Amino acid sequence: MNPLLSYSKGTSGGKQKWIPKTAEEGERRAFFSCLCDTVLNSFELRSFQGLNDGKALLFVLINPDIHTPGGLVLRTGSESEIKNRKDRYPQFILCEDSNQSLYSQLLCGLVQRDAIVNVGTFFASGLLRIIKFFEEHWQEMSSNIRTGQMSAWITDPNCKRAVSLILSKQMPDLADSIDLICQEKSWEGIIKKIWPRTKYVMAIITGSMAQYIPALEFYTGGLPVVSPVYGSSEAFFGINMKPLCSPYDVSYTFIPNMAYYEFLPIDNHQDPTCTNRKDAHLKDHIVDLANVKIGQHYELLVTTFTGLYRYRMGDIVLVTGFHNSTPQFKFGQRTNVVLSIHTDKTTEQDLQKAVAMAIQILEPLGFFLLDYSSYADTSSIPGHYVLFWELQLRSNDDIPELDQVKMEKCCSLVEQSLDQKYKLLRNQSISTIGPLEIRVVKQGTFNVLMDFYVSQGTSLNQYKTPKNIKSEKAIEILDSRVVGKFYSREVPNQDS
Ligand code: AMP
């Protein structure tokens, strides 16, 4: 049965969306996927030798269907594609227990490690999560390969059947080589070491995913990261026609027949949150795809074949050029405000930039930021912003006691990098916003957070760490794993 509603709970805004679907829309999406594959296969990637005689290891996870009280099936876009075209996918992808499925996918990927030529998943954050899972399970996987027997906790028939076709005998030499690589203290370049023929990694790395670029570069050993598409549960938008360009330069070429796109110009210096205003004349400024201008930022509006009219995606895009006469866009930022106290509104992009600036203090000490999130703590007066940071050492050592002065400097740098409004509110004689706080959490915390959201119905494939935590339970999860709290000791300078 074709689901009539597709849903998403994975956007960084954290709002659940139910979107009408039709069979025709499914075909349109299938066309988009084929077009994307064609682009990937026919452009720059062709330059890699041996891609055609290798295999892609693309991790896909699905959730059980949700049924509405009226009996309609709710699935995310990617789940619909997989469940409707089961014959195209290996059976373990149909397993709805994500641990069993991921274990099986990794195990098969290890057994066939010499055939793998590219590794990937939907979003960069998902790939990091998979690497963590591998870190926790590689010994068990290697022992399965040594004995030719899969662990007994894998009980799902789809997984058992699919793995037995690939893991059919004892392979002690392969197990030895995996042990040798995984026992190394630092996991720098682990993807390249485990899958030595890998030419590139596939994962969306633009927009809010850009924060994961350093972590991904670390684990991939500098392999190119291909960020193939820009799309959403509402509609698909664009394809990256230069798959091998730097993650910082990715532009997407809009595919004009996927939906009707319109664009609301945004003054390049304007506060993006202003797009939330209810301006009666807003529609007078809207332009369509053929009339956008290079160098201009726009908020994306979409009218879809399934009934959304001028729907505001909440995404801001920047026109960077044209492919023939089709405009190309860089994914800019989301219009959503992640932190707000009093009249301050800090957007996801403001926060991301500020965090990227502050983490530079810890980078010379061998740290990188694995993930972060935030919330506005208004339980005391004045309220203040709290950031949760999960740090990782390049050497893979446990996180040592953090240098108080350096961490306080990180807090100040975040504040210093936020906008004038924030600094003004911090500088008032009776300050309206208190000193910013960074709470460093134990390693693995953001995986626990993800498990929590997945247990609430979020799709694993579409999961993006929420940058503004609203759920009390989620804050509790983070708070219970805090290993250090640090506050800004300086009031930010308003002149810079
Ligand atoms: P969802 O509705 O869960 O599928 O999420 C759709 C949202 O994910 C979009 O509105 C974007 O904010 C984000 N997104 C999707 N593709 C990309 C991309 N290539 N780069 C950055 N963000 C993306």
Side-chain angles (χ1 to χ4, degrees), residues 7-13 15 17 19 29 76-77 122-123 203-210 227-238 250 252 300 311 313-316 330-334 336 348 459 461-464:
Y7 86 103
S8 160
K9 211 183 170 195
T11 47
S12 33
K15 261 195 283 172
K17 300 179 280 187
I19 295 135
R29 283 176 178 246
T76 63
F122 292 82
F123 286 100
I204 289 174
I205 193 76
T206 45
S208 61
M209 293 293 140
S227 191
V229 290
Y230 167 33
S232 74
S233 312
E234 290 83 352
F236 278 2
F237 310 117
V250 174
Y252 299 98
L300 174 61
Y311 178 90
M313 285 301 307
D315 292 341
I316 294 181
K330 225 174 178 167
F331 188 90
Q333 62 187 99
R334 292 193 49 85
N336 59 325
E348 189 171 317
S459 149
N461 294 329
Q462 285 168 241
Y463 178 77
K464 306 158 196 92

Side-chain angles (χ1 to χ4, degrees), residues 296-339:
Q296 172 71 52
H297 283 95
Y298 297 92
E299 185 186 348
L300 174 61
L301 312 181
V302 63
T303 298
T304 67
F305 290 93
T306 54
L308 297 175
Y309 176 68
R310 287 190 164 170
Y311 178 90
R312 296 173 82 159
M313 285 301 307
D315 292 341
I316 294 181
V317 292
L318 166 71
V319 187
T320 51
F322 289 87
H323 179 82
N324 298 325
S325 12
T326 311
Q328 295 180 304
F329 297 82
K330 225 174 178 167
F331 188 90
Q333 62 187 99
R334 292 193 49 85
T335 54
N336 59 325
V337 174
V338 287
L339 287 169

Side-chain angles (χ1 to χ4, degrees), residues 414-478:
V414 173
E415 292 200 298
Q416 196 54 51
S417 311
L418 293 180
D419 65 9
Q420 287 303 327
K421 180 63 149 300
Y422 176 84
K423 292 180 201 166
L424 181 77
L425 295 174
R426 268 282 279 136
N427 269 281
Q428 284 170 338
S429 47
I430 303 176
S431 60
T432 319
I433 297 188
L436 183 133
E437 179 185 356
I438 292 178
R439 297 183 190 161
V440 177
V441 292
K442 273 200 277 202
Q443 285 179 288
T445 297
F446 276 84
N447 281 349
V448 180
L449 185 73
M450 171 158 138
D451 291 342
F452 165 70
Y453 280 105
V454 169
S455 73
Q456 306 290 298
T458 297
S459 149
L460 270 168
N461 294 329
Q462 285 168 241
Y463 178 77
K464 306 158 196 92
T465 303
K467 293 299 161 208
N468 56 336
I469 304 272
K470 298 222 172 80
S471 142
E472 275 178 27
K473 179 78 193 134
I475 294 175
E476 239 175 79
I477 289 172
L478 293 171

Side-chain angles (χ1 to χ4, degrees), residues 218-365:
F218 175 79
Y219 287 115
T220 61
L223 285 169
V225 179
V226 174
S227 191
V229 290
Y230 167 33
S232 74
S233 312
E234 290 83 352
F236 278 2
F237 310 117
I239 290 179
N240 175 3
M241 306 291 276
K242 290 197 176 138
L244 289 180
C245 72
S246 146
Y248 297 100
D249 297 332
V250 174
S251 282
Y252 299 98
T253 304
F254 269 42
I255 306 299
N257 54 344
M258 295 305 296
Y260 189 70
Y261 308 114
E262 289 177 293
F263 301 86
L264 189 57
I266 291 181
D267 179 335
N268 287 350
H269 303 291
Q270 182 186 327
D271 170 0
T273 59
C274 289
T275 57
N276 290 333
R277 68 183 189 258
K278 300 265 179 296
D279 183 339
H281 302 292
L282 227 49
K283 66 177 182 350
D284 299 339
H285 303 289
I286 292 174
V287 292
D288 59 19
L289 188 62
N291 290 307
V292 294
K293 295 201 168 48
I294 292 182
Q296 172 71 52
H297 283 95
Y298 297 92
E299 185 186 348
L300 174 61
L301 312 181
V302 63
T303 298
T304 67
F305 290 93
T306 54
L308 297 175
Y309 176 68
R310 287 190 164 170
Y311 178 90
R312 296 173 82 159
M313 285 301 307
D315 292 341
I316 294 181
V317 292
L318 166 71
V319 187
T320 51
F322 289 87
H323 179 82
N324 298 325
S325 12
T326 311
Q328 295 180 304
F329 297 82
K330 225 174 178 167
F331 188 90
Q333 62 187 99
R334 292 193 49 85
T335 54
N336 59 325
V337 174
V338 287
L339 287 169
S340 179
I341 287 180
H342 195 60
T343 52
D344 180 60
K345 286 179 183 160
T346 295
T347 64
E348 189 171 317
Q349 175 149 330
D350 294 337
L351 184 65
Q352 191 159 315
K353 273 192 194 149
V355 168
M357 190 68 80
I359 194 67
Q360 287 177 13
I361 298 197
L362 301 184
E363 279 168 358
L365 304 176

